Each structure stands twice: as structure tokens, then as C-alpha cells.
Amino acid sequence: MSEELNDVVVNNYTVGDVVNGQITKVEEKQVIVAITDSKLDGIIPISELSSLHIEKASDVVSEGDQLELEVIKVEEDALVLSKRKVDAEKAWDQLEEKFKAGEVFEAEVKDVVKGGLVVDLGVRGFVPASLVEAHYVEDFSDYKGKTISFKIVELEKDKSRLILSHRAVVEEEKSKQKQNLLDSIEVGQTLTGTVQRITDFGAFVDLGGIDGLVHISQLSYDHISSPTDVVQEGQEVKVKVLSVDRNNDRISLSIKETQPGPWANIAERAEKGSVLDGTVKRIVSYGAFVEVFPGVEGLVHISQIAHKHIGTPHEVLKEGQEVQVKVLDVNEAEQRLSLSIKELTEKEVDEEEVYELPEESKGFQLGDMIGEQLKKLKN
């Protein structure tokens, strides 16, 4: 007879009806409910309390709780009820709206299982490990009981499939932050950033959500063979914005332009009349350029290379040669330095040819020579 009662009305209730009731007793594996406006009691099996697995009924409900429940079975003296089904039906409607709107919402992580996290949203929501964070996480145990933000990435009500992602929220926030930062950056600004990555051609600096490239030529005024000669990953640096390409999310930066230039205070470092060591960097028809400080070259005019006349500087100098130079003039504003090599060398003196008499003729007087000739004439 009880099987027949499942398909008929008993005390005006049938399977599928939604009723209200108050919990009067919480047992370990079931809950007793006093149904509103009825003398019948209701029983909620522990499996019908939540969409998640629970060990005891008291983990979910307490005595005195008012609940909305669905009739899943009709007995002669009681109704078998489900809290899970009512919660799920309401939840699916709300979740479909959130899914369509791409809404971000917060929820508590109820459990950590193999492969990800479990969230109770009225229905069981699963967060695969790959969708928890934008970075790799080895241990998820700290996530249990933690409330974090999610987006729904997959929803199939007929399969009770609900996939959530916290990673999507993180990446969306980063994207917004990146765009806001990109819109605010202007050419000429000096910013502080962190060296994120180093390549053969330069260093990428994180400006707080977006990376900019410092080309190797913009790392230092000195000649360097590798970016690691100047910077290291994780190092905090000051950079100047050289250009911003908002269409391609590219920012060009410079470290060297935040530092004093090689010509700064050159009048003090290369005073007029001072003597400096240098290296011949370039030879041209009218002279030679000598580097006296990193990034600072001065001109030794061809007339200041040697005391003697030379047709080309190559007769005396070669590139890479170490030389000493004297500062003739310095102009910091125009970044010009006039140098001399010849003023530090002695002038070569031409030796005059001196005629000396033979040894045997030394002591002879002019008169002696004439007298000897007169004797010959008399004879």
C-alpha cells in the first residue's frame, strides 16, 4: 500500500510538492521536521541535506531552523523530504544568471579533493587545480574554509556540471590593472620597477602589472657585453619612459637616462691644462678622437698630434692605442673637448752638420798654409 501512496495524495501531499517546516530534532544521519499546517512529520535523510558529502546532519542544520523542502516520498504517517533538491533548483536559476552575466562572486571553499577544490553553491561546484590560480600551487590544503572570488566557466544543469575558476578572476583583474597602467604612462616619466626577466638584447622591467623593455643600449653609458653586467633579476631600478605603443602593449624604457650623463661635470673632471690618460677610438682625416672617460671623447686635431708635419693621423696613431693627452679647452654645454698630444712631447731638434778638420790638420794656421804655397812658387 505504501508504494501506491507514492503516487497518490496523502493528507493533501504528493511527490514533488514543496513544503515548509521547522527542524525539531537533529539525529546523526537524519533530521525530523514539523511540517507547517500539518500533523505529519517529515524526515530528511542525511543524503538529502546537501549537495556535498557530509558526515553528520548537524554539520548542515540545527534544531529550530525553518526550511523549504521538497516531498520525495509519501508514507502513511510521514513525508520523506529533500532540502538538497529545493536548494539546487533555486541555485541553478541564480547560477545561470551569473554565468550569462559573467558575474564575479565570492564563496567558501568547502573541501579540498584530488584535482581541485569543492564549493557549495546550493549545488556542487568544482574548481580544477589548473583554474585555482594563475601560478602553480603545489598544496591546496590552506584553501579549505577560505572565501575567495569565482567566475563560472562551465554550466550544464542537466548533467549537474558546474565548473568554477578563481584564475579567471585573477587574470581579469590583472588585465584591467595592466590597461589602466598602460593608459596612465606617458613618455618622459621616471618610474620605479623591478627587473623581471633578462635576455641577450636587454631587460624586461615590471612597472606594477605591465612590463617594459630596457634595450641593452639603454642600460648604461658604458659599453657592456651583457645586460647582467648592469642588472640582475629581482633588482629594483629607476627607468625613464622613452616610448609607449598602446596598440601593441609595448613600452620602451631607459635606465641610463635616469643617471648623470658622461659629460656631467666634465669641466671639473677635465680641467683646462690637465693631463689625462685616454684611448684612441676613431681616426679621421682631420685628427683623432680619444676617449678620456667612459662615453666622453675629445678631439686631438691633426695639428696637435706631433711637432713635425704629418699628412695623416695614421702615420702616428692607431685605433685602440693608449695615449696621454693635455686638455686645451672644454665646453660642457656643447659636449666638446679639445686635446693635444704634442704638448706632452719634446720638440725634435734638427742636428746641424759640423765640419771638423782631419786630425793631422788640427793646429794649422791659415798663414802656414799660404807660406808653404809661396815657397813652392820661388822654387
Side-chain angles (χ1 to χ4, degrees), residues 158-175:
D158 56 337
K159 297 181 180 178
S160 297
R161 178 179 173 81
L162 181 66
I163 305 298
L164 310 175
S165 173
H166 175 62
R167 176 178 177 173
V169 178
V170 172
E171 291 180 342
E172 188 176 278
E173 289 175 351
K174 282 186 177 180
S175 179

Side-chain angles (χ1 to χ4, degrees), residues 319-363:
E319 291 182 359
Q321 182 179 341
E322 301 293 324
V323 293
Q324 274 198 327
V325 292
K326 183 177 181 180
V327 179
L328 301 181
D329 188 40
V330 56
N331 188 324
E332 186 172 326
E334 297 182 8
Q335 298 187 354
R336 294 175 63 181
L337 201 58
S338 297
L339 307 172
S340 174
I341 293 175
K342 80 175 186 181
E343 288 206 10
L344 298 177
T345 60
E346 293 185 8
K347 183 176 181 180
E348 296 178 1
V349 180
D350 292 335
E351 295 183 359
E352 295 181 3
E353 291 187 6
V354 180
Y355 176 78
E356 292 187 0
L357 292 172
E359 191 68 35
E360 61 272 15
S361 299
K362 288 182 179 179

Side-chain angles (χ1 to χ4, degrees), residues 279-291 296-300 305 313-314 317-321:
T279 305
V280 177
K281 287 293 184 179
R282 291 179 294 134
I283 296 177
V284 293
S285 60
Y286 53 85
F289 287 93
V290 176
E291 185 180 58
V296 177
E297 293 181 6
L299 174 65
V300 181
I305 293 176
H314 287 94
L317 302 173
K318 60 182 180 180
E319 291 182 359
Q321 182 179 341

